[in-house]
């Protein structure tokens, strides 16, 4: 069993290395950030798409909002190919974070608003921003500005007559909450495991920030 798991991890590592451009691979810190970025984008849609699947099952009348969420989550698989094609890393990471913010707020808007079980996914945003972008103050400011802008846009839709959908049965909402929590724990666990593989990432980031 351990040997099989080791083979799977090695295969994933080879796949990740395939997508890392030579210019990034030459810099240790940049390579570590790109490694986390790629692993989360390769595995993330498998984890994240459990949520729209659960919505399709639990919602008595699933509509376009489930399809849009599923497409947005699946779109994360595009990013490794774009990175390998030569796209600048930091702008690409910011676009990825923007897509994540959209996925979270879209799910919240159509399934409960501030009471949505998917709202806790907001806590993942600063975690992934740190892993992807390091401790750069300017990039962190951009991420916070992006989140504020997205929140303002969704709030504007609400204020101008597009009500939040909150008619999911209580049992269905509880089921969604359980699924969402489990998937969030899986994602954070994957990122934590990646950090334990190279704890120096955090140390070097703090040194640059000092």
């Amino acid at each position: 069993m351990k040997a099989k798991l080791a083979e799977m991890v090695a295969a994933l590592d080879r796949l990740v290395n395939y997508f890392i451009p030579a210019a990034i691979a030459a810099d240790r810190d940049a390579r570590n950030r790109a490694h986390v970025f790629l692993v989360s984008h390769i595995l993330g849609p498998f984890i994240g798409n459990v949520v729209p699947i659960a919505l399709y099952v639990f919602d008595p009348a699933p509509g376009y909002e489930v399809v849009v969420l599923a497409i947005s989550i699946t779109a994360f698989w595009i990013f490794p190919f774009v990175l390998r094609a030569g796209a600048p890393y930091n702008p690409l990471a910011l676009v990825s974070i923007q897509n994540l913010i959209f996925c979270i707020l879209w799910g919240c808007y159509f399934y409960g608003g501030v009471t949505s079980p998917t709202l806790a996914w907001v806590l993942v945003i600063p975690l992934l921003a740190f892993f992807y972008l390091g401790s750069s103050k300017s990039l962190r400011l951009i991420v916070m500005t992006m989140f504020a802008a997205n929140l303002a846009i969704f709030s504007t839709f609400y204020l101008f007559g597009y009500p939040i959908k909150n008619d999911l049965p209580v049992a269905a909402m509880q089921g969604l909450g359980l699924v969402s929590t489990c998937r969030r724990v899986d994602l954070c666990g994957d990122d934590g495991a990646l950090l334990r593989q190279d704890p120096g990432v955090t140390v070097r980031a703090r040194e640059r920030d000092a």
Side-chain angles (χ1 to χ4, degrees):
M1 183 65 182
K2 289 184 177 180
K4 186 67 175 179
L5 180 60
E7 289 179 7
M8 293 173 63
V9 172
L12 176 61
D13 194 55
R14 288 193 297 270
L15 179 62
V16 168
N17 290 333
Y18 169 79
F19 286 111
I20 298 178
I24 294 178
D27 182 286
R28 184 181 179 186
D29 287 341
R31 185 188 183 282
N32 286 332
R33 291 195 300 273
H35 191 278
V36 176
F37 176 85
L38 288 166
V39 170
S40 65
H41 282 71
I42 292 170
L43 299 182
F46 290 111
I47 298 173
N49 267 315
V50 174
V51 173
I53 291 173
L55 288 172
Y56 183 81
V57 172
F58 294 138
D59 191 342
Y64 71 91
E65 59 273 5
V66 178
V67 176
V68 171
L69 181 60
I71 292 174
S72 299
I73 293 173
T74 304
F76 284 111
W77 273 329
I78 298 173
F79 287 81
F81 296 96
V82 178
L83 180 64
R84 178 171 171 77
Y89 175 77
N90 284 342
L92 186 63
L94 289 172
V95 173
S96 171
I97 293 172
Q98 164 57 40
N99 190 45
L100 175 64
I101 294 171
F102 171 80
C103 290
I104 295 170
L105 295 183
W106 180 270
C108 292
Y109 192 88
F110 286 98
Y111 290 95
V114 294
T115 64
S116 173
T118 63
L119 182 62
W121 279 91
V122 169
L123 300 175
V124 176
I125 296 172
L127 175 67
L128 292 182
F130 174 76
F131 282 137
Y132 294 172
L133 302 170
S135 59
S136 169
K137 292 181 180 179
S138 60
L139 292 176
R140 281 185 292 182
L141 179 59
I142 292 174
V143 171
M144 289 188 291
T145 303
M146 286 165 48
F147 180 76
N150 279 266
L151 191 60
I153 291 171
F154 277 94
S155 298
T156 300
F157 275 105
Y158 174 71
L159 292 173
F160 283 89
Y162 295 88
I164 291 174
K165 182 178 178 180
N166 199 16
D167 57 357
L168 207 62
V170 174
M173 194 70 80
Q174 291 173 341
L176 176 60
L178 179 61
V179 170
S180 177
T181 299
C182 292
R183 296 303 90 188
R184 189 171 63 253
V185 169
D186 284 346
L187 180 61
C188 292
D190 289 343
D191 288 334
L194 289 169
L195 183 59
R196 286 193 297 273
Q197 289 179 3
D198 189 1
V201 172
T202 303
V203 175
R204 289 190 295 274
R206 289 175 178 170
E207 287 175 348
R208 288 195 306 272
D209 201 33

